[in-house]
């Protein structure tokens, strides 16, 4: 493997989160600061986040809008973070999802630097999140980031243990290059 910073090499999206470890306010601020400094087309910074800490009202509202399969493991996370973007009124929407992805990627790398893990959930009830979180009309929910310390994989429901403990796989580098 090519020389890769450990922040990327050791980044991992687990299902098993520690059920009692908390996300400190300083770490949460650090994650959001990393997202704030992500590259953005025309410096529009269209990303918006809603943060819920384990068992607070925001966390509960985010959790119920995840698919049941994901609720079974996400309920152990220290925090749930809704990632969304602002829909432009008249300007072209080019780059908005790309910009949000950049912000989430920066946040995820920062989490690794802090010894935290992030798993992204894209199959969410977007309309439910918008309503339950009373989001502004121009903010579109996109993904939920599940954040916390690594937990015991054997604490997961039996059908998820194999997925959690299996080898990480990536396509060979040659598969990524076209032509």
């Amino acid at each position: 493997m090519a020389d890769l910073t450990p922040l990327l090499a050791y980044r991992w999206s687990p299902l098993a989160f520690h059920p009692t470890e908390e996300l400190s306010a300083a770490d949460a601020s650090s994650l959001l600061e990393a997202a704030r400094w992500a590259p953005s087309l025309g410096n529009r910074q269209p990303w918006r986040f809603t943060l819920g800490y384990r068992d607070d009202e925001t966390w509960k509202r985010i959790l119920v809008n995840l698919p049941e399969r994901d609720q079974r493991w996400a309920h152990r996370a220290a925090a749930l973070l809704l990632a969304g973007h602002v829909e432009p009124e008249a300007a072209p929407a080019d780059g908005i999802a790309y910009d949000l992805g950049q912000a989430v990627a920066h946040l995820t790398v920062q989490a690794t630097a802090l010894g935290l893990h992030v798993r992204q959930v894209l199959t969410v009830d977007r309309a439910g999140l918008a309503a339950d979180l009373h989001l502004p009309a121009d903010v579109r929910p996109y993904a939920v980031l599940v954040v916390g310390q690594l937990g015991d994989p054997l604490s997961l429901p039996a059908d998820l243990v194999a997925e959690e403990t299996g080898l990480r796989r990536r396509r060979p580098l040659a598969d990524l290059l076209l032509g």
Side-chain angles (χ1 to χ4, degrees), residues 143-156:
V144 170
L145 313 178
V146 183
V147 182
Q149 297 281 342
L150 190 60
D152 178 3
L154 299 179
S155 68
L156 291 167

Side-chain angles (χ1 to χ4, degrees), residues 77-150:
L80 298 175
L81 188 62
L82 171 66
H85 59 81
V86 175
E87 283 288 322
E89 289 181 21
D94 294 347
I96 289 179
Y98 184 81
D99 279 2
L100 177 60
Q102 288 270 4
V104 169
H106 277 64
L107 183 151
T108 300
V109 171
Q110 183 66 21
T112 303
L114 296 172
L116 298 167
H117 293 274
V118 176
R119 185 169 185 105
Q120 300 173 39
V121 179
L122 296 178
T123 306
V124 297
D125 180 350
R126 290 181 175 88
L129 284 163
D132 291 350
L133 296 171
H134 310 289
L135 298 179
D138 63 341
V139 174
R140 302 290 178 260
Y142 190 80
V144 170
L145 313 178
V146 183
V147 182
Q149 297 281 342
L150 190 60

Side-chain angles (χ1 to χ4, degrees), residues 4-174:
L4 188 64
T5 177
L7 291 176
L8 296 174
Y10 298 118
R11 186 216 53 81
W12 176 46
S13 301
L15 295 170
F17 287 89
H18 197 287
T20 60
E21 291 289 330
E22 300 293 331
L23 179 67
S24 72
D27 284 351
S29 180
S30 181
L31 296 176
L32 293 168
E33 191 68 19
R36 186 170 82 95
W37 284 98
S40 174
L41 180 65
N43 201 27
R44 289 187 293 184
Q45 303 171 41
W47 48 79
R48 299 293 183 271
F49 297 96
T50 300
L51 174 62
Y53 292 94
R54 183 185 298 114
D55 294 328
D56 75 9
E57 192 60 34
T58 300
W59 184 91
K60 291 174 186 175
R61 289 176 184 207
I62 295 172
L63 184 67
V64 300
N65 286 287
L66 297 180
E68 188 176 314
R69 178 189 188 279
D70 293 325
Q71 289 182 35
R72 296 183 308 149
W73 57 266
H75 75 278
R76 294 174 182 249
L80 298 175
L81 188 62
L82 171 66
H85 59 81
V86 175
E87 283 288 322
E89 289 181 21
D94 294 347
I96 289 179
Y98 184 81
D99 279 2
L100 177 60
Q102 288 270 4
V104 169
H106 277 64
L107 183 151
T108 300
V109 171
Q110 183 66 21
T112 303
L114 296 172
L116 298 167
H117 293 274
V118 176
R119 185 169 185 105
Q120 300 173 39
V121 179
L122 296 178
T123 306
V124 297
D125 180 350
R126 290 181 175 88
L129 284 163
D132 291 350
L133 296 171
H134 310 289
L135 298 179
D138 63 341
V139 174
R140 302 290 178 260
Y142 190 80
V144 170
L145 313 178
V146 183
V147 182
Q149 297 281 342
L150 190 60
D152 178 3
L154 299 179
S155 68
L156 291 167
D159 62 317
L160 299 178
V161 172
E163 181 180 340
E164 183 72 347
T165 58
L167 291 176
R168 290 176 64 199
R169 299 188 190 279
R170 289 286 190 238
R171 291 179 178 269
L173 184 57

